Amino acid sequence: MEDAATPVMTTASVAVAESTGISPGALKAKKIERARMLFWLLPPAAWFFVFMILPYCMLFYYSLGSVDYVVFKPGLSLANFVRVFTTEPYLSVMLKSAKIGIYTAILSSIIAYPLAFYLAFHASEAIKRYVYLLVIVPWWASYLVKAYAWKTILGTGGLINASLLGLGVIDHPLTLFLYNEFSVTLTLAYIFTPFAVLSIYAQLERVPTSLIEVALDQGATRMEIFRKIVLPISIPGIIAGGVITFSLGFGDFVAPALVGGADSIMISNIVINLLGAAYDWPMAAAIGLIIIALGLGLITLAHRLEHQFQVRF
Amino acid sequence: MAAYIDLIGIRKSYGASPVAAVDGVDLSIQKGEFVTLLGSSGCGKTTTLRCIAGFEMPDTGTIRFSGEDITYSQPSERDMRMVFQDFALFPNMTISENVAFGLRLKKMRGRYSEAQIRARVEEYLSLVQLADHGKKMPHQLSGGQKQRTALARALITDPAVVLFDEPLASLDANLRKAMQVEIKRLHRQFNKTFIYVTHDQEEAMAMSDRIVVMNKGRIVQSGSPEEVYSQPNSKFVANFIDRANILTGIVETVDGSTAKIRLASGATLSAPTNDATISGKTVGVMIRVDRVSLGEDGSDQRNILRGIVAERLFLGAKNEYVIELADGAGRISVHERTAGAQASIGDVVPLCVLPDDIRVLAA
């Protein structure tokens, strides 16, 4: 077969073609395709290597070493990892960070769901654009400024206390709003809720109107439609939004520094201290790696859950 | 006497659009009837159906259902179920759960025990030939199976009326034919009122007791499939329903119930009419492609036309001849059985049409 093509083929490619049953033309096409793919893949691969793989390797290298006074000493010891789990306050702070992360995820989802629901089912195109803008615009302002704003709202001389004092509800400013887990969670949820809105909205948008109509037609109440149809279909969006807001909340260091109290220190603050003040890079690296491992585990779990709950139309 | 379902002066427009989607529809539907709203997209048929279902409320007009005004009542308050074009199966439920949906709602609580629901779901699944598919998820079914599930879900709550919004439009041609047969069988079996919307005239003719042809938000003609096919009341209907030859002629005389119409080619045709006022006017003359034949049989009952064969298309069981009439009087397509009369391109041929097969239309 294909006698005309044979003379221009190398003997090697003839052998490959014969053994695999792929025609020489297809082989050539594959070669060109591979070359093109490499061309497009090279820049992102290089980026990924230099800014992801390499730093992780360095992180790992550091985590196995130790510090003698302020000088880094290379080594091959897992002592830093053991210390994370055995020496206070690393583990407890990490757990507390996780708790704040979970609070943030829950609060963000609760705030985000009605908005996403409204956008998906009731908003006109014009309103959708407008709300979308309202969700995006706060990101033009620095995160620091927004976190700081909560200080002036929640503080003893802040908006809430001033209002309550003015109304005569209280006679001393209340301190329960600021410098605790509540203020940290509130600030984090305020900042990261857009991520939850977008992931829940993306999922709700997939629900065709006819599903709602057929349920109404059958006599389902609004509550039944929500419970039996809308909520189950939106679960993957809630999970996705939850993972993002949890991760951002868990790793945050600005909110606890600005609006957190003395006891609301979080794991990122500890890492920063280890890197800066304490000069204990190996310990910081070990914590970093544990957080990355936790993150990978969480994402894998979430991915599996999303897959399990994802509906197909 | 009021009919089972009465639409009186229904008008509906969307948003700021100056053109009404439904522009004054009056329609009466009898109990047990299979009525099809037929028209091209944007003719108002779906909006009319959605008003009947309760998903839309008309701007003006009244809808009565067994004597009761239901114009503004909720969809669930009407004893009607709708079957959608996109099937609208709940993707998070199995086929059985989808079918059982209506029976498990709060408003049905206490009506059926769980065992009764299961038995009823079984019954309705086998009714639509899906007995073994109950545990599957919707995405595992083919398009036809999905629509049969939707049918079972609509029928299981035993509504008096079933509404169909282009239910077969997203299926391929063969499946569509099979589903038409199935829907017709269900109509016979349950003896419920079916109101069906489609843009496919063949589907409408195959299934309906009555076809309501709509255009630009209004009803153009309403009648049995045979009526709208052989006695269209306008060029629009003649063209929309199957294939029609439409020529133009001038009415020379009206004698009793027969009009003599002169075509541009000089030929005269006799055609039935009951309107003596058309004498001297220009009219349209409709002849169906299967009601005209090649050759003349000598009987003077027939109208004879002459023309040249311009095109011949082989269609399997029949040939289609396109005949160019003399003096620009127009073209006529003729369907002739392959086993019947034959002609070649360029032949001058006579054509004959029975007067009763000619329909005079307003120009």
Side-chain angles (χ1 to χ4, degrees):
Chain A
M1 52 157 215
E2 311 241 359
D3 289 330
T6 313
V8 295
M9 282 166 46
T10 63
T11 45
S13 64
V14 171
V16 170
E18 277 172 357
S19 64
T20 56
I22 300 168
S23 76
L27 214 65
K28 197 172 171 189
K30 223 173 214 161
K31 228 181 212 171
I32 294 172
E33 242 168 60
R34 202 171 302 149
R36 269 186 204 156
M37 199 166 76
L38 229 86
F39 175 78
W40 289 111
L41 217 56
L42 212 61
W47 179 276
F48 191 70
F49 181 78
V50 173
F51 294 107
M52 297 283 284
I53 305 287
L54 218 57
Y56 283 169
C57 290
M58 284 161 66
L59 208 61
F60 189 56
Y61 171 74
Y62 272 110
S63 72
L64 299 178
S66 58
V67 174
D68 186 7
Y69 193 44
V70 292
V71 182
F72 172 71
K73 273 190 4 197
L76 274 176
S77 151
L78 291 174
N80 289 320
F81 292 94
V82 175
R83 251 170 77 206
V84 173
F85 292 102
T86 52
T87 314
E88 277 304 312
Y90 302 120
L91 188 62
S92 58
V93 170
M94 220 183 288
L95 288 175
K96 200 169 69 198
S97 303
K99 191 171 75 177
I100 296 283
I102 290 169
Y103 288 167
T104 305
I106 292 172
L107 188 60
S108 301
S109 304
I110 291 173
I111 299 169
Y113 204 99
L115 181 59
F117 188 91
Y118 170 76
L119 283 178
F121 294 117
H122 297 292
S124 68
E125 281 307 314
I127 290 180
K128 256 183 218 177
R129 262 198 305 277
Y130 194 66
V131 173
Y132 196 78
L133 206 70
L134 285 179
V135 169
I136 298 298
V137 160
W139 286 92
W140 293 355
S142 156
Y143 169 19
L144 213 61
V145 173
K146 286 182 288 180
Y148 213 87
W150 279 102
K151 222 179 165 117
T152 64
I153 295 172
L154 302 171
T156 42
L159 199 63
I160 296 180
N161 271 314
S163 307
L164 290 176
L165 281 169
L167 290 169
V169 181
I170 49 172
D171 7 282
H172 307 291
L174 296 176
T175 52
L176 67 132
F177 301 123
L178 196 56
Y179 304 127
N180 50 30
E181 286 178 1
F182 165 77
S183 56
V184 173
T185 305
L186 191 67
T187 305
L188 290 173
Y190 161 71
I191 290 163
F192 298 133
T193 295
F195 292 104
V197 174
L198 292 180
S199 17
I200 295 170
Y201 169 71
Q203 190 65 17
L204 286 178
E205 205 193 23
R206 298 179 63 210
V207 180
T209 345
S210 59
L211 282 195
I212 311 291
E213 287 185 338
V214 91
L216 279 177
D217 198 33
Q218 294 262 354
T221 61
R222 299 272 163 191
M223 200 55 219
E224 278 174 312
I225 293 175
F226 178 72
R227 201 164 43 79
K228 291 181 173 221
I229 301 158
V230 177
L231 187 62
I233 294 178
S234 63
I235 285 175
I238 299 175
I239 294 175
V243 167
I244 298 172
T245 45
F246 170 81
S247 308
L248 291 170
F250 180 82
D252 194 77
F253 64 92
V254 173
L258 279 182
V259 296
D263 61 338
S264 26
I265 182 165
M266 281 167 67
I267 196 66
S268 297
N269 306 98
I270 286 197
V271 172
I272 288 169
N273 282 338
L274 285 170
L275 281 173
Y279 243 76
D280 193 348
W281 286 30
M283 192 60 201
I287 296 175
L289 279 175
I290 288 170
I291 292 175
I292 289 167
L294 272 176
L296 279 176
L298 183 71
I299 288 169
T300 313
L301 180 73
H303 190 75
R304 240 181 242 164
L305 281 176
E306 274 175 53
H307 192 76
Q308 192 186 327
F309 285 106
Q310 188 60 272
V311 295
R312 288 172 61 188
F313 287 90
Chain B
M1 192 197 85
Y4 191 49
I5 300 171
D6 272 311
L7 276 67
I8 305 150
I10 299 301
R11 215 173 287 271
K12 168 90 190 169
S13 47
Y14 288 107
S17 167
V19 183
V22 176
D23 194 8
V25 162
D26 295 286
L27 179 65
S28 294
I29 294 166
Q30 300 302 325
K31 192 168 184 169
E33 219 181 349
F34 192 135
V35 175
T36 297
L37 306 180
L38 174 66
S40 43
S41 73
C43 75
K45 56 190 191 302
T46 294
T47 303
T48 306
L49 190 78
R50 290 174 62 83
C51 283
I52 299 174
F55 295 129
E56 309 283 354
M57 286 172 193
D59 300 337
T60 56
T62 310
I63 301 171
R64 292 179 171 282
F65 176 39
S66 346
E68 228 179 290
D69 186 340
I70 58 158
T71 319
Y72 301 106
S73 64
Q74 290 299 311
S76 57
E77 292 164 8
R78 312 175 183 208
D79 197 6
M80 304 175 175
R81 296 290 169 272
M82 179 116 132
V83 176
F84 291 80
Q85 179 182 342
D86 66 357
F87 320 129
L89 297 182
F90 306 122
N92 54 319
M93 300 180 195
T94 64
I95 296 308
S96 291
E97 287 166 347
N98 262 282
V99 174
F101 184 81
L103 304 182
R104 292 216 172 104
L105 292 175
K106 203 158 80 191
K107 72 164 194 171
M108 298 290 272
R109 194 157 293 166
R111 195 88 59 92
Y112 297 101
S113 71
E114 192 51 38
Q116 280 171 317
I117 290 178
R118 239 171 280 144
R120 204 169 155 83
V121 168
E122 291 276 304
E123 182 194 333
Y124 276 79
L125 278 180
S126 43
L127 181 79
V128 294
Q129 284 131 53
L130 288 174
D132 303 327
H133 296 75
K135 289 202 176 69
K136 289 187 183 165
M137 298 306 282
H139 72 87
Q140 293 171 301
L141 299 192
S142 68
Q145 290 171 328
K146 281 184 194 170
Q147 200 52 295
R148 292 212 295 270
T149 307
L151 264 170
R153 182 179 58 184
L155 289 168
I156 199 166
T157 52
D158 199 26
V161 180
V162 185
L163 310 171
F164 298 85
D165 185 12
E166 305 235 19
L168 309 183
S170 49
L171 306 181
D172 63 55
N174 284 334
L175 204 53
R176 211 151 51 212
K177 285 268 179 256
M179 286 297 291
Q180 286 171 14
V181 173
E182 195 143 342
I183 291 173
K184 235 182 128 58
R185 172 179 68 83
L186 290 171
H187 180 243
R188 262 197 312 275
Q189 187 172 342
F190 283 93
N191 209 17
K192 293 179 186 301
T193 308
F194 279 23
I195 307 177
Y196 196 97
V197 158
T198 182
H199 64 269
D200 180 345
Q201 51 91 15
E202 241 178 271
E203 191 167 295
M205 300 234 274
M207 302 174 77
S208 333
D209 295 329
R210 184 150 62 100
I211 294 177
V212 176
V213 185
M214 291 186 68
N215 187 32
K216 292 181 183 162
R218 291 164 197 253
I219 293 176
V220 185
Q221 187 173 7
S222 164
S224 69
E226 292 79 5
E227 259 167 31
V228 292
Y229 177 75
S230 57
Q231 294 160 48
N233 65 0
S234 59
K235 279 188 182 172
F236 178 82
V237 177
N239 274 321
F240 198 83
I241 306 280
D242 210 48
R243 303 262 323 264
N245 294 299
I246 297 181
L247 304 172
T248 307
I250 295 167
V251 181
E252 292 201 313
T253 57
V254 179
D255 172 20
S257 61
T258 305
K260 289 253 179 256
I261 301 161
R262 178 174 293 277
L263 303 180
S265 62
T268 43
L269 298 172
S270 320
T273 182
N274 45 23
D275 183 3
T277 64
I278 60 169
S279 184
K281 287 184 181 156
T282 303
V283 292
V285 176
M286 184 206 75
I287 306 165
R288 291 281 177 202
V289 291
D290 60 331
R291 297 297 170 91
V292 52
S293 49
L294 289 184
E296 43 192 318
D297 63 357
S299 116
D300 33 325
Q301 290 300 305
R302 290 173 185 262
N303 292 301
I304 303 294
L305 294 170
R306 270 170 213 289
I308 297 168
V309 179
E311 211 63 75
R312 182 179 156 211
L313 310 158
F314 177 61
L315 303 179
K318 59 202 172 192
N319 284 313
E320 175 169 331
Y321 294 97
V322 180
I323 315 288
E324 185 80 51
L325 298 178
D327 302 322
R331 288 181 154 204
I332 281 194
S333 293
V334 180
H335 280 179
E336 192 70 64
R337 283 182 306 118
T338 310
Q342 301 281 336
S344 314
I345 292 177
D347 288 356
V348 176
V349 290
L351 302 170
C352 63
V353 198
L354 274 174
D356 281 349
D357 288 333
I358 296 179
R359 176 87 181 154
V360 180
L361 303 168

